[in-house]
Structures are given as structure tokens and as C-alpha cells.
């Protein structure tokens, strides 16, 4: 996606066989890297590492991993232990993005991410996923991360949900409100999401991004069948939003981002969870 002007984490290696795993120079990985399957599901198999000691690595929840432990995990990925669909799984080793300071204070150890649902080159819904102790630092709701809706027009957070369906107001265990957090680089984030969807020829899809303090939004994953729990975190359904923009002739990503808040302004007062796509 670099050719499209879309920032992505640096990839250190793609391993397709046991030989690749054994031959990879693991000692070169000093800090801030992630190991994940190419076609994983619900965050399974993703391990984020923060630094290396003399003969072991520490992941983001301070668990120790020897080189042998890491190799065994890679073997499990190649065997398809964490994959649910698609061709033979591969191991991706890539740069770990350090969380933006604004989002870091709402996250437990791991890196929060943003998902923007794009349809017909228009961003239609978004939320931020915040890692928790329950999710062991992973930004995945299936494992216990929080989902916090984001208003498309302003980039301010709205509603929040734990365990996908339980509405909450505060960060668990605190009196820190989850509403009205200003997401950094908001317009650039929406534009990046639309460009990524177009580059991948996704008419409809969920674009996952990390926010780097200096580099801004970076695309980490494209989902052609994104989960629907984003609707709960926004307390709004996707159906009417999709219908509203289905027939618009969107001439550019910039155009899609400009018309998004205008398209939904009249819906906000009438949107209900009855409009959920199931």
C-alpha cells in the first residue's frame, strides 16, 4: 500500500514453512514487534512484544518468551491453529506501533486500534477498541477489549460497550469517562481508511488502523466481512447508513470523507438499534 501513499507498519518477515521459522534471524528483533497469522480471527494468535532481554523476549503483559517458545507459536500458526478461513496460513512479523499518548491512558498495556467501516468510498461508522486486562492487552472485543463508538463528523467518542453488548460509561475500575475523547488525526484517519478500501477494491469493508504519534494513521488490517458489534458501540444501525450512500457517485476519497457527516446528520435523531444489520 506504500505505492498508494498509505502508511503501514514495517514488515520484518513473512514465514511460510517450518524451514522459514528455523532460518529466521530472531536475534535481530530487539523490541516492538508483533507476530500474527495472515488469516487469523478475533485476534487469536497475535502476540505483541515490547523488548528483548539477554536470552528471552517480554510481551506487552510481561510474559517471558524464549526463542523456542516463539518458534513453537509460529509452528502453531502454520498448522492453522488460529485460522478460520482462507488459504494456508502464514506468519507475519511486523513493527509494533506504540500507542498515541491520547489513547494510551485508556488502554491496558497493548495498542488500541480504530476500525472504520467503509462503503462505496464513504466512511459510514467507526469505533476505537481499547485493550483491557481481561483481553491481555489485545484490542479485540472477542477477548475482552472495549468498543467505543466514534462520531464520524467530529471524531469524538460517543457510547462504549464491554463484552460487545454491555453499555458502560467509565473505563472499568475508574471514574474516567469514555465519552467525548477526541481521536487524533481524525480526518486523515477517515481518508486513509477510504484510500485503503479503494486500493484493495473493497466496496464494503472494515479498515483497522493504529495511530502513531508522529506518523499518524497506519493501516494494519483489511476485513471484507467486519464484525457487527460496532453498531452497539455506536448505538446505531448500519442499515440506514449503507442505504443512504449506496447510490452516491463518489468521485474521490476526499469527496467520500466530505459527504459522510452530511449524509448522516439527518439520521442521528432517528437512528435506533432497530436498524441493526444482523
Amino acid at each position: 500500500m506504500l505505492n498508494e501513499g498509505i502508511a503501514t507498519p514495517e514488515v520484518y518477515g513473512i514465514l511460510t514453512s517450518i524451514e522459514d521459522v528455523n532460518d529466521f534471524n530472531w536475534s535481530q528483533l530487539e523490541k516492538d514487534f508483533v507476530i500474527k497469522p495472515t488469516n487469523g480471527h478475533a485476534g487469536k494468535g497475535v502476540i505483541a512484544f515490547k523488548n528483548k532481554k539477554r536470552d528471552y523476549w517480554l510481551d506487552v503483559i510481561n510474559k517471558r518468551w524464549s526463542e523456542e517458545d516463539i518458534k513453537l507459536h509460529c509452528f502453531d500458526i502454520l498448522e492453522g491453529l488460529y485460522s478460520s478461513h482462507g488459504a494456508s496460513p502464514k506468519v507475519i512479523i511486523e513493527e509494533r506501533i506504540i500507542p498515541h499518548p491520547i489513547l494510551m491512558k485508556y488502554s491496558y498495556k497493548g495498542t488500541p486500534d480504530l476500525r472504520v467501516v467503509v462503503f462505496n468510498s464513504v466512511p459510514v461508522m467507526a469505533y476505537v477498541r481499547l485493550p483491557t486486562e481481561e483481553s491481555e492487552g489485545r484490542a479485540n472485543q472477542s477477548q475482552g477489549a472495549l468498543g467505543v463508538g466514534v462520531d464520524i463528523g467530529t471524531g469524538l467518542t460517543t457510547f462504549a460497550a464491554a463484552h460487545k453488548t454491555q453499555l458502560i460509561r467509565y473505563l472499568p475500575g475508574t471514574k474516567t469517562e469514555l465519552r467525548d475523547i477526541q481521536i487524533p488525526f481524525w480526518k486523515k484517519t477517515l481518508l486513509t481508511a477510504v484510500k485503503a478500501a479503494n486500493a484493495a477494491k473493497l466496496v464494503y469493508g472494515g479498515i483497522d488502523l493504529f495511530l502513531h504519534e508522529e506518523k499518524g494513521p497506519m493501516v494494519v488490517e483489511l476485513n471484507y466481512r467486519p464484525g457487527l458489534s460496532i453498531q452497539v458501540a455506536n448505538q446505531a444501525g448500519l442499515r440506514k447508513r449503507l442505504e443512504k450512500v449506496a447510490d452516491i457517485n463518489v468521485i474521490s476519497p476526499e469527496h467520500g470523507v466530505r459527504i459522510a457527516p452530511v449524509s448522516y446528520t439527518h439520521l442521528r435523531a432517528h437512528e435506533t438499534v432497530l436498524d441493526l444489520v444482523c
Side-chain angles (χ1 to χ4, degrees):
M1 289 198 179
L2 291 176
N3 292 335
E4 305 288 339
I6 301 168
T8 59
E10 182 180 354
V11 175
Y12 301 137
I14 299 177
L15 313 181
T16 63
S17 67
I18 292 175
E19 290 74 20
D20 286 348
V21 174
N22 286 326
D23 293 342
F24 186 77
N25 182 11
W26 295 101
S27 62
Q28 71 178 324
L29 300 175
E30 296 291 336
K31 63 177 182 177
D32 296 327
F33 66 96
V34 176
I35 295 175
K36 63 182 185 181
T38 51
N39 54 351
H41 174 68
K44 295 177 181 178
V46 179
I47 307 295
F49 295 88
K50 58 183 181 180
N51 56 42
K52 182 179 184 291
K53 302 299 182 181
R54 289 187 60 184
D55 57 354
Y56 63 88
W57 288 261
L58 284 177
D59 65 19
V60 294
I61 60 170
N62 291 321
K63 178 183 175 182
R64 293 187 178 191
W65 292 71
S66 67
E67 182 172 322
E68 187 62 25
D69 293 332
I70 290 177
K71 287 182 177 180
L72 288 173
H73 182 70
C74 292
F75 296 154
D76 286 341
I77 291 175
L78 293 175
E79 288 292 326
L81 183 61
Y82 306 106
S83 300
S84 58
H85 62 276
S88 299
K90 302 177 180 62
V91 179
I92 296 179
I93 307 166
E94 68 181 20
E95 173 188 9
R96 172 180 169 248
I97 305 303
I98 306 302
H100 191 287
I102 287 178
L103 297 180
M104 186 182 297
K105 62 183 179 181
Y106 299 98
S107 304
Y108 177 81
K109 296 187 177 180
T111 303
D113 71 4
L114 281 156
R115 172 167 291 179
V116 179
V117 175
V118 176
F119 177 58
N120 188 28
S121 295
V122 179
V124 296
M125 194 171 282
Y127 72 162
V128 59
R129 294 178 294 193
L130 302 175
T132 63
E133 185 173 4
E134 180 182 350
S135 72
E136 296 185 335
R138 296 181 179 91
N140 191 282
Q141 283 189 286
S142 296
Q143 299 186 36
L146 307 180
V148 184
V150 185
D151 180 80
I152 287 288
T154 64
L156 291 170
T157 57
T158 55
F159 304 96
H163 304 109
K164 293 190 176 182
T165 59
Q166 177 189 348
L167 289 179
I168 59 174
R169 179 178 177 182
Y170 302 103
L171 193 66
T174 75
K175 287 297 182 180
T176 302
E177 291 212 40
L178 292 169
R179 193 178 183 91
D180 290 332
I181 303 167
Q182 180 64 64
I183 304 300
F185 306 110
W186 184 240
K187 293 299 182 183
K188 186 176 181 181
T189 296
L190 295 181
L191 185 59
T192 300
V194 174
K195 287 182 176 180
N198 289 353
K201 302 187 185 306
L202 284 178
V203 175
Y204 172 78
I207 314 303
D208 294 345
L209 310 100
F210 289 153
L211 294 183
H212 190 283
E213 184 175 11
E214 298 175 357
K215 299 176 183 178
M218 304 180 76
V219 175
V220 292
E221 192 169 303
L222 305 177
N223 302 271
Y224 73 96
R225 292 178 60 186
L228 299 175
S229 58
I230 189 172
Q231 300 173 113
V232 179
N234 281 274
Q235 283 297 280
L238 276 166
R239 187 182 306 278
K240 285 186 177 179
R241 296 193 178 194
L242 298 176
E243 291 171 350
K244 180 64 178 176
V245 302
D247 297 323
I248 295 177
N249 180 25
V250 181
I251 60 176
S252 68
E254 291 79 6
H255 182 214
V257 171
R258 284 199 308 274
I259 66 177
V262 177
S263 298
Y264 308 136
T265 297
H266 82 287
L267 289 178
R268 289 181 187 133
H270 307 287
E271 280 183 317
T272 72
V273 290
L274 295 179
D275 301 314
L276 294 178
V277 174
C278 300

